[in-house]
Amino acid sequence: MATLQELIHCIRPFRPIHRPVSFLRPCLAARPQLRCASILTELSDPASAKKPIRRGRGASSGKGKTSGRGHKGQGQRGKVPHGFEGGQTPLYILKGKRGFDNIHALDMAPVNLDRVQSWIDQGRLDPSKTITVKELAESRCIHGVKDGVKLLAKGATALRTPINILVSRASAAAITAVEGAGGTIMTRYYTAASIRRILRGESDANTPLPNTFPALTTTTIAISSSRHSFRKNQKPQTTFRYRVPDPSSRKDIEYYRDPAHRGYLSHLVPAGEGPSLFFKVPKENGARTVVGAGSDVAGADGADGADAADAAASRKKKKDGSLGAENRIW
């Protein structure tokens, strides 16, 4: 039988029950459910778990018997350094890669003159019209046009029909052959996006001249001068949605300004100047006449004899052997 002292220890002390205030009950009842923090140690992603390869567990496992090492030799008994080929000169040294890939190189679709003449003989190209990228692609004379079309001179002797052709680039021999047959050739700048638009019919392929404003080719319609007489059905109808862009880089501008390349911007080069935007055309040797001191003959630039004599005297060396200011290059 328990004693009085044991009964006193078993009795818990009285703790008053604290009930929340009435206006706090809705907030306390809406608290989110709390979870034990021990679940963080149990988080796992079964999909990312990769089972280790069990080797030597029978032939049916795929890695049995020799465990994937093969029969005999250094690879079966030990380890082989990466790239080691038994002592011979490794292939990556004997026949390694040379050079580099030019990321700025253009991927031109080549077309030769003999193929163009063959397409004309078959009636797949009309020589009476201008042959452009669109005609060459639609007739399957070229395939996979990306950055443009380059005309080459293979089979130049077979070309006997005068043609008017508009391409991205052309070799010097191809230009000579086309013009020798009585035809004309012009090179124009294209981008990969503009060629795709030309093939879809969204841009005009036969645009040898540089762009002018307005950009779109429209059909003219008669519109009354009165503002109220304009109707919706009288709006200009756009023939092409996009225009063919012009070059913006110096390299492309100089290429299509060169008359030797038959560029469509060659008419913009003034007489006596070259296609380069940076270098000037050097003067000819006979452009400047040498005038001696005391001579009254005028120079090639129209200066009088006295000025020419002073200029010739200033170009001479001084008595101490140093050059005059006009002969210095710094």
Side-chain angles (χ1 to χ4, degrees):
M1 186 174 182
T3 60
L4 180 60
Q5 188 176 3
E6 294 176 352
L7 292 175
I8 292 174
H9 284 289
C10 292
I11 297 174
R12 296 180 178 178
F14 174 73
R15 296 180 180 177
I17 301 176
H18 298 282
R19 299 182 178 276
V21 189
S22 59
F23 68 88
L24 294 177
R25 288 177 183 175
C27 298
L28 297 176
R31 287 189 304 173
Q33 183 181 1
L34 300 179
R35 293 185 178 182
C36 181
S38 62
I39 63 172
L40 298 178
T41 61
E42 300 176 359
L43 295 178
S44 63
D45 186 7
S48 63
K50 185 176 181 180
K51 296 182 180 180
I53 299 176
R54 301 176 74 247
R55 302 178 184 274
R57 298 301 190 273
S60 61
S61 66
K63 295 294 181 181
K65 192 182 176 183
T66 56
S67 302
R69 283 179 168 268
H71 293 273
K72 301 181 182 179
Q74 185 179 8
Q76 199 253 1
R77 298 187 179 93
K79 294 183 178 179
V80 182
H82 177 69
F84 183 70
E85 299 179 6
Q88 70 177 9
T89 304
L91 293 178
Y92 65 87
I93 294 179
L94 188 63
K95 297 183 179 180
K97 293 183 178 179
R98 299 291 187 270
F100 66 99
D101 294 332
N102 187 3
I103 61 175
H104 302 289
L106 299 178
D107 189 2
M108 293 284 181
V111 56
N112 291 287
L113 293 177
D114 56 353
R115 187 176 179 87
V116 174
Q117 183 63 49
S118 176
W119 253 240
I120 293 175
D121 296 341
Q122 299 175 27
R124 303 170 71 172
L125 286 176
D126 188 3
S128 62
K129 299 180 180 179
T130 303
I131 300 176
T132 62
V133 179
K134 187 176 179 62
E135 283 74 15
L136 293 174
E138 290 181 349
S139 64
R140 308 305 293 168
C141 188
I142 56 177
H143 304 272
V145 187
K146 293 183 180 179
D147 296 325
V149 180
K150 184 170 184 178
L151 185 65
L152 303 178
K154 180 181 178 181
T157 57
L159 182 65
R160 58 185 180 278
T161 305
I163 58 175
N164 300 325
I165 189 167
L166 178 65
V167 290
S168 302
R169 294 190 178 184
S171 63
I175 294 175
T176 304
V178 171
E179 294 178 349
T184 59
I185 183 171
M186 181 174 290
T187 58
R188 201 202 190 284
Y189 174 77
Y190 295 106
T191 61
S194 63
I195 289 178
R196 290 194 297 267
R197 292 166 183 163
I198 288 174
L199 298 181
R200 290 197 299 263
E202 298 177 353
S203 295
D204 188 10
N206 193 9
T207 53
L209 297 179
N211 291 321
T212 56
F213 190 83
L216 303 180
T217 304
T218 57
T219 57
T220 58
I221 58 175
I223 301 178
S224 175
S225 59
S226 176
R227 297 181 180 180
H228 301 285
S229 63
F230 184 79
R231 299 179 181 178
K232 294 183 179 180
N233 56 358
Q234 291 180 340
K235 288 184 178 180
Q237 298 179 355
T238 303
T239 306
F240 299 102
R241 186 177 180 183
Y242 303 98
R243 65 180 179 182
V244 182
D246 290 326
S248 58
S249 66
R250 173 188 162 188
K251 182 179 180 181
D252 294 332
I253 293 175
E254 291 179 351
Y255 182 89
Y256 293 102
R257 278 167 55 94
D258 194 351
H261 298 153
R262 303 301 186 268
Y264 76 111
L265 299 178
S266 59
H267 66 283
L268 301 178
V269 182
E273 295 186 8
S276 177
L277 301 177
F278 183 77
F279 298 100
K280 294 183 178 180
V281 178
K283 296 182 179 179
E284 298 180 359
N285 296 332
R288 177 183 296 177
T289 58
V290 180
V291 182
S295 177
D296 295 333
V297 181
D301 54 354
D304 54 31
D307 295 340
D310 295 340
S314 63
R315 288 193 294 269
K316 294 182 179 180
K317 290 186 178 181
K318 296 181 180 179
K319 294 181 179 180
D320 56 355
S322 60
L323 293 175
E326 290 76 11
N327 288 347
R328 295 175 184 173
I329 60 175
W330 59 88

